[in-house]
Amino acid sequence: MVPDRIEQTLGDGPCVEALTRDRPIVLEDALLSPQWSEYCHALSAVGMRSTLGVPMELEQGASAVLNFFAPIPGSFSSRAVESALTFAGVAGKAVDRQLCGRQRR
């Protein structure tokens, strides 16, 4: 299973939490985390151990989260989180432009 699909199927995990809390959420190690046990088990089964969920700021009532995965525990340092936040800001603007373009058609 693709890592993104795991959380979509279960409806729970770090990226869902990032969306609801509107802040980045890091899962350091799926094999050691006490949270999201079913998600962590499925994630580690596909070879991923670390996850970063970063919400994008979107207008018009839309919401989205960028999901990053790594096979190595502890892959997402504070610098990586900051870079992901910067990327999410740029991506959010691009998505907003696309959404606005669709509404004008």
Side-chain angles (χ1 to χ4, degrees):
M1 181 177 281
V2 177
D4 263 345
R5 295 275 183 213
I6 296 168
E7 198 163 359
Q8 291 169 1
T9 300
L10 295 174
D12 191 29
C15 297
V16 170
E17 187 170 324
L19 186 61
T20 59
R21 291 185 179 220
D22 194 32
R23 66 177 179 85
I25 300 292
V26 176
L27 170 63
E28 293 289 338
D29 189 346
L31 293 180
L32 300 177
S33 177
Q35 291 181 288
W36 316 295
S37 60
E38 191 174 0
Y39 170 79
C40 287
H41 176 74
L43 189 68
S44 62
V46 297
M48 294 296 131
R49 297 273 300 272
S50 190
T51 303
L52 168 61
V54 180
M56 292 193 305
E57 290 184 29
L58 301 175
E59 295 180 8
Q60 303 169 351
S63 60
V65 174
L66 293 176
N67 303 317
F68 301 90
F69 302 95
I72 300 168
S75 292
F76 301 106
S77 65
S78 59
R79 185 174 178 193
V81 172
E82 288 301 318
S83 294
L85 283 165
T86 299
F87 180 76
V90 173
K93 289 177 184 173
V95 170
D96 277 337
R97 285 188 189 129
Q98 183 66 25
L99 291 173
C100 288
R102 284 186 182 171
Q103 290 178 350
R104 291 185 191 138
R105 292 181 189 170

